[in-house]
Amino acid sequence: MGSSSDTGALLLQRQLQELNRHPIEGFSAGLVDDSDIFKWEVMIIGPPDTLYEGGFFKAHLIFPREYPHRPPKMTFISEIWHPNVHHNGDVCISILHEPGEDKYGYEKASERWLPVHTVETILLSVISILSDPNDESPANIDAAKEWRENRDAFRKKVQRCVRKSQEAE
């Protein structure tokens, strides 16, 4: 039996081939560098009919050697203003949290990382929070407060990020 990093590498290789063969609307994904299957660069296209529409948001997905038993870390490289994204770009959503029970009791184990998750399910979850932020347990308190209390200011900041992301293209 090979080591767990072999398993992870094989799974990631398979997902990469699958995504290349059957691209999914809303994002594109590839490797940062062809020699490292554990480091992905993804481009999320701002979903239509959301404040993020028209944006091209670049992010990195860094998989641990223990993948699929542990989740990757996702970090936006593009500037993005969102309640579930830390100021430094780290994405904070349940399915990227370590598996098992939440010691704070916010999340059920079933909402957290499970080995069945793939690049596709992760990115679809991220796209869905762009449409519908979860301000219950925000990563970016300022963005969450603005989302709740001052939608106009929130919208302006997001539009600035969208414009910046278009220039970076």
Side-chain angles (χ1 to χ4, degrees), residues 1 10 28 47-48 72-73 80 83 107:
M1 201 56 207
L10 285 170
S28 63
K73 186 172 176 282
I80 191 161
E107 300 165 338

Side-chain angles (χ1 to χ4, degrees), residues 8 20 24 28 38-40 44 49 62 71 79 86 100 103 110 114 116 127 129 132 134 139 141 149-150 158 164 168:
N20 285 334
I24 289 163
S28 63
F38 291 96
K39 278 194 173 146
W40 290 49
I44 291 187
D49 304 322
I62 309 296
E79 193 181 315
H86 288 280
K103 61 176 184 277
S110 60
L114 296 167
V116 296
I127 289 169
I129 62 154
D132 187 15
N134 169 6
I141 309 284
E149 297 166 14
N150 188 347
V158 170
K164 262 190 163 159

Side-chain angles (χ1 to χ4, degrees), residues 52 89 97 119 151:
Y52 300 88
H97 293 165
V119 171
R151 209 48 81 84

Side-chain angles (χ1 to χ4, degrees), residues 23 45 51 124 129:
I45 296 142
L51 297 176
L124 292 174
I129 62 154

Side-chain angles (χ1 to χ4, degrees), residues 99-137:
E101 288 300 324
D102 176 9
K103 61 176 184 277
Y104 303 110
Y106 288 123
E107 300 165 338
K108 296 193 275 297
S110 60
E111 297 170 327
R112 294 163 74 93
W113 178 257
L114 296 167
V116 296
H117 284 304
T118 60
V119 171
E120 180 182 338
T121 60
I122 293 164
L123 295 179
L124 292 174
S125 295
V126 171
I127 289 169
S128 95
I129 62 154
L130 290 181
S131 312
D132 187 15
N134 169 6
D135 60 1
E136 296 293 294
S137 57

Side-chain angles (χ1 to χ4, degrees), residues 7-148:
T7 313
L10 285 170
L11 279 168
L12 289 168
Q13 199 69 56
R14 204 169 305 141
Q15 290 178 44
L16 185 61
Q17 288 164 347
E18 193 53 33
L19 287 168
N20 285 334
R21 269 204 302 273
H22 308 283
I24 289 163
E25 210 167 312
F27 69 83
S28 63
L31 300 181
V32 172
D33 161 356
D34 288 335
S35 67
D36 188 351
I37 190 72
F38 291 96
K39 278 194 173 146
W40 290 49
E41 182 167 272
V42 297
M43 174 72 80
I44 291 187
I45 296 142
D49 304 322
T50 69
L51 297 176
Y52 300 88
E53 183 169 14
F56 298 96
F57 300 101
K58 220 182 234 163
H60 283 168
L61 265 176
I62 309 296
F63 290 86
R65 299 283 170 199
E66 304 83 4
Y67 177 81
H69 302 289
R70 294 196 41 231
K73 186 172 176 282
M74 182 168 173
T75 306
F76 275 101
I77 311 297
S78 305
E79 193 181 315
I80 191 161
W81 184 246
H82 190 283
N84 306 115
V85 180
H86 288 280
H87 288 287
N88 67 358
D90 288 351
V91 175
C92 182
I93 55 174
S94 302
I95 72 162
L96 292 180
H97 293 165
E98 291 290 343
E101 288 300 324
D102 176 9
K103 61 176 184 277
Y104 303 110
Y106 288 123
E107 300 165 338
K108 296 193 275 297
S110 60
E111 297 170 327
R112 294 163 74 93
W113 178 257
L114 296 167
V116 296
H117 284 304
T118 60
V119 171
E120 180 182 338
T121 60
I122 293 164
L123 295 179
L124 292 174
S125 295
V126 171
I127 289 169
S128 95
I129 62 154
L130 290 181
S131 312
D132 187 15
N134 169 6
D135 60 1
E136 296 293 294
S137 57
N140 180 335
I141 309 284
D142 304 329
K145 195 168 155 24
E146 219 171 62
W147 165 257
R148 280 195 297 263

